Amino acid sequence: MYEDYDHLQRAAKDHLWMHFTRHSSYADADVPIIVRGEGAYIYDAQGKRYLDGLAGLFVSQLGHGRTELAEAAAKQAQELAFHPLWSYAHPSAIRLAERIAGYAPGDLNRVFFTSGGGEAVESAWKLAKNYFKLTGRPMKHKVLSRSIAYHGTTQGALSITGLPPLKQQFEPLVPSTFRVPNTNIYRAPLHGDDPEAFGRWAADQIAVAIENEGPDTVAAVFLEPVQNAGGCFPPPPGYFQRVREICDEYDVLLVSDEVICAFGRLGHMFGAERYGYQPDIITCAKGITSGYAPLGAMIASDALMAPFLEEGAMFAHGFTFGGHPVSTAVALKNLEIFEEEKVLEHVRSNEGAFRSTLERLKDLPIVGDVRGDGYFYGIELVKDRETRESFTEEECERLLYGFVSKQLFAEGLYCRADDRGDPVIQLSPPLICDQSHFDEMEQVLRTVLDKAGTLL
């Protein structure tokens, strides 16, 4: 235990405003204080070990304690600790932009660095509006996104987010965003037994929404390859191909929001590559540095850059720490390790085992669905597996927050239990994990969910 543990507890409760946290829950309980990490594990201030089943927050692709990444940061800080990208450049940002452009599909050759994912989403919406104004279509400014989808917490990104409970306390937000159906086939209102037909229907609702708003007013549609909120909704077969056709037909930009899905989470550098579609913009962050420094990016096509290359033109947008020298140096080393250690190949060769291990849990009555791809899965909990009846708000509060979330952590598994949409447990472990880690996750989940079933 840390010598100053009691002091840390008092200071955390008196001064630290934690994110997305019910501080009242710590009135009579200790704040969990994580002090170090090693491989796929994290350790708290009392020395207890936990399997990092969420990779921090979909971030720690290479796991914890990688000295090569720490050394890359230290070396860069000694050479050039900071300089902005406002009319100037520095070598690590240039080299990283070149490398990312090499990985990105098609003509996505222009990399605009940010500090994180929300800023990348903000940048993409601002670029879409600016681009259409410069190219003679000034009314195209509206954005479509999917219901229950999460795209960030800044005013613009929160407007694009499709989770009403997260938005209400901050309204009014930025206007001109509209929702289309997500791809939750487990609860599909139509074509539930025909994934391809369901995917076609879901994609066609984008065309309906564009027609309803007027094609001359819609700038972009923001979609995650695998939708995070709601519990990992993969795309049905043909879904993104149809979305691409619709975007081309109506001159609407397709933004692939890959803040979670990029950099190996789905076994490829980008989720668009896995599912075979060509976006106009990719937004990314998180795994780009494996969490060893904050960094995000908006990757845009050559066509979107073209009007900003005209005499006197400028994208009047930027962030002080976007493309920070230390962060970009760490990202370069991170991607170098990806190639040296064949991380993408490791995910692709193990994802089937991860899925089958989690699917063992389907023998528990409380487990309704196991879904996802790569190293990114959601387990939906249900009251009745036959009818797929979900829990009431009160039951969710008692079961998910009152027991499951706390008990998983107590049993040594850090992951996410959430009810944005339907109640789910999300798993997104470091990409270095193998069968031993999958088994450990399954065993903890089985213990806790078996107990949870008896509480109903």
Side-chain angles (χ1 to χ4, degrees), residues 146 224-228 232-235 240 261 266 275 372-373 376:
R146 294 186 290 207
E224 296 167 278
V226 174
Q227 181 174 320
N228 169 38
C232 303
F233 305 145
F240 274 111
C261 291
L266 301 176
Y275 300 119
D373 272 328
F376 187 30

Side-chain angles (χ1 to χ4, degrees), residues 203-221:
D204 283 344
Q205 300 316 298
I206 294 173
V208 171
I210 293 171
E211 288 284 356
N212 285 344
E213 290 306 314
D216 60 339
T217 71
V218 179
V221 55

Side-chain angles (χ1 to χ4, degrees), residues 117-119 121-122 125 150-161 174:
E119 289 181 0
V121 171
E122 291 282 332
W125 191 7
Y150 176 86
H151 292 284
T153 55
T154 53
Q155 296 277 345
L158 187 57
S159 297
I160 298 172
T161 291
V174 183

Side-chain angles (χ1 to χ4, degrees), residues 38 63 67 74 191 196 209-210 285 357 362:
E38 183 179 342
T67 56
H191 316 297
E196 196 164 343
I210 293 171
T357 303
K362 283 187 170 182

Side-chain angles (χ1 to χ4, degrees), residues 435-455:
Q435 187 62 53
S436 65
H437 302 105
F438 306 154
D439 288 337
E440 186 176 346
M441 281 184 261
E442 191 267 346
Q443 288 161 14
V444 173
L445 287 162
R446 178 172 296 280
T447 299
V448 173
L449 294 180
D450 193 36
K451 288 180 185 175
T454 66
L455 298 177

Side-chain angles (χ1 to χ4, degrees), residues 5 9 18 26 30-34 44-45 50 409:
Y5 181 78
Q9 282 296 329
M18 291 174 282
Y26 297 124
D30 281 0
V31 175
I33 301 174
I34 306 302
D44 68 18
Y50 306 84
F409 193 67

